[in-house]
Amino acid sequence: MYGLSVLAFAVLAVAAPAPQRNRGGNRNGGGNGGGQQRATAQQQAAQVPGGISQAQDGSTIVDDTVNINGLPIRFKVSAPADQFMANTNIPGAAATAASNGTMGVNVLLHGDGGQSFFDFPNQNVQANTMGVVLLAPDPNLFWGGGQGLERTDGVEHAQAVSDFVTQALPQMVAFDPNAVVFSGVSGGSLLMSGFFIPSQMANFPNSAVELNCGALPPQVDFVNGAQVLSQTKIHYQSTQNELASLQQSIPQAVAAYESAAAQAGLSTNEINQLQTVDNTPQGGHCEFDGRDFVDGVQVMLSSYASVMQGGDGTVQGIGAPSNGQVRNGVVGNENLRFGAAPRRRALDGERMTVMRWAAEVAGN
């Protein structure tokens, strides 16, 4: 029995149907600002209203919170209105428990500070796949809790993500449980690679995980490791001027997962088909377009199907000197070459936190 609260969609307020757009434009920076905050990031996020709104492609976005194993999991689901369960009272909802969902789901875990939760870069339907993003149940909005590469709540958070997808999500929207894929951004990628893939991916056969600007070697034992490693596509995407700590942990993760796959009996060709890596673009942390965190993350998520769902591996808008092709097999490409990390984020004091959305809260 899972600790799931009742989903009370009937009381959701219908928000103005203006499309949700990425916040932050081309502004650089982020973080917590210069002063001491009176409220935690989680408390500030609670001031941002949820409800129902419209995605950029016209899909319906539902923003609500459900209790999973004692943890408050705020989520956004973006899908055609008729795919939501009729008993949610969402306008246009038409699915029932007997509905055989045909759409896939791309579940995104944001980076430290929650920026990509509010941007929702996977909100548009892509390759018949709806978008879902989850907000970390942590005062700092860190997936896995802790700080830096130490994710002290990784086990609990990975379990909560898995239980949300398998237990709560089917109560609100019709989807194909055999077509669930995942995305991570920065700290969300640490939770995915360090904890979720080894401990929970057996629940999601033939899945895929895009690890953007962050990765850890497995921090827990694999569950059905041979099955997971033979069926799961993993792509690591970084940049030339990545944060110093991630310049170390990403290659370590690449080598660890490659080694685990080889030990599971996969051939070099099979490993290179399933596990790929790229850090060609010149840019800082998550600046895949060569300029900006928010826009860079959007570049990768807009080309998700091309990289992870049977496309040719080309990312439109990725920064120079990349030619756009990012699917390079990990065997022979384990030793990624990086440039200098940003000075303002040296290893002894670097921060992965991006919270541009908080400026809007403060301005209200």
Side-chain angles (χ1 to χ4, degrees):
M1 177 64 68
Y2 296 90
L4 305 176
S5 69
V6 176
L7 298 173
F9 287 107
V11 300
L12 282 173
V14 179
Q20 291 202 0
R21 302 192 181 278
N22 288 344
R23 298 169 179 171
N26 288 320
R27 292 173 293 170
N28 293 317
N32 297 330
Q36 182 71 29
Q37 290 185 345
R38 296 181 180 179
T40 66
Q42 189 176 43
Q43 290 168 335
Q44 292 179 75
Q47 299 177 43
V48 180
I52 300 174
S53 59
Q54 188 179 77
Q56 295 166 354
D57 67 351
S59 296
T60 295
I61 295 177
V62 173
D63 180 340
D64 201 4
T65 301
V66 63
N67 187 289
I68 307 283
N69 306 332
L71 296 174
I73 302 295
R74 184 173 177 179
F75 61 87
K76 293 181 182 180
V77 178
S78 181
D82 62 1
Q83 297 302 298
F84 288 95
M85 293 295 168
N87 62 4
T88 63
N89 293 330
I90 294 169
T96 67
S99 299
N100 293 318
T102 60
M103 296 187 69
V105 179
N106 180 3
V107 181
L108 183 143
L109 302 187
H110 60 75
D112 292 355
Q115 184 65 40
S116 295
F117 176 84
F118 295 99
D119 294 336
F120 203 177
N122 57 323
Q123 65 183 261
N124 292 340
V125 172
Q126 186 177 162
N128 197 41
T129 302
M130 67 182 71
V132 172
V133 62
L134 306 180
L135 190 65
D138 174 76
N140 297 311
L141 301 182
F142 289 3
W143 274 112
Q147 61 181 345
L149 301 182
E150 298 296 325
R151 300 288 154 154
T152 53
D153 298 322
V155 172
E156 293 82 1
H157 285 193
Q159 185 69 59
V161 172
S162 181
D163 291 349
F164 174 86
V165 177
T166 59
Q167 301 294 318
L169 192 59
Q171 298 180 39
M172 66 190 80
V173 69
F175 66 95
D176 182 354
N178 295 312
V180 179
V181 295
F182 298 89
S183 305
V185 175
S186 190
S189 293
L190 301 184
L191 190 280
M192 272 284 159
S193 53
F195 300 90
F196 188 88
I197 294 176
S199 67
Q200 303 297 329
M201 194 56 75
N203 297 322
F204 306 98
N206 302 308
S207 187
V209 184
E210 185 174 273
L211 300 171
N212 294 302
C213 42
L216 285 174
Q219 303 295 295
V220 294
D221 292 337
F222 274 92
V223 175
N224 296 334
Q227 169 196 328
V228 169
L229 292 163
S230 66
Q231 296 182 351
T232 306
K233 291 183 179 179
I234 302 173
H235 177 71
Y236 309 85
Q237 186 63 49
S238 185
T239 53
Q240 285 290 298
N241 305 111
E242 182 58 271
L243 299 180
S245 61
L246 297 177
Q247 290 190 20
Q248 299 178 42
S249 69
I250 293 172
Q252 291 170 355
V254 171
Y257 272 95
E258 177 190 326
S259 176
Q263 292 176 18
L266 276 68
S267 68
T268 295
N269 182 62
E270 289 171 330
I271 294 172
N272 278 344
Q273 289 297 313
L274 289 168
Q275 300 182 16
T276 55
V277 63
D278 180 75
N279 74 322
T280 306
Q282 291 181 346
H285 184 53
C286 302
E287 294 174 352
F288 301 115
D289 65 340
R291 298 183 299 274
D292 179 70
F293 180 102
V294 169
D295 293 342
V297 170
Q298 186 64 63
V299 160
M300 290 305 301
L301 269 298
S302 293
S303 291
Y304 187 91
S306 175
V307 178
M308 307 304 300
Q309 294 176 295
D312 64 4
T314 299
V315 175
Q316 298 294 329
I318 198 167
S322 175
N323 62 6
Q325 174 56 242
V326 300
R327 287 186 55 83
N328 309 300
V330 295
V331 180
N333 291 301
E334 302 89 349
N335 298 318
L336 300 174
R337 294 185 178 182
F338 291 97
R343 289 184 179 181
R344 68 181 184 275
R345 292 171 177 167
L347 181 60
D348 61 352
E350 70 181 13
R351 298 182 62 86
M352 291 186 283
T353 305
V354 179
M355 289 179 58
R356 297 178 190 172
W357 59 269
E360 296 186 18
V361 175
N364 290 335

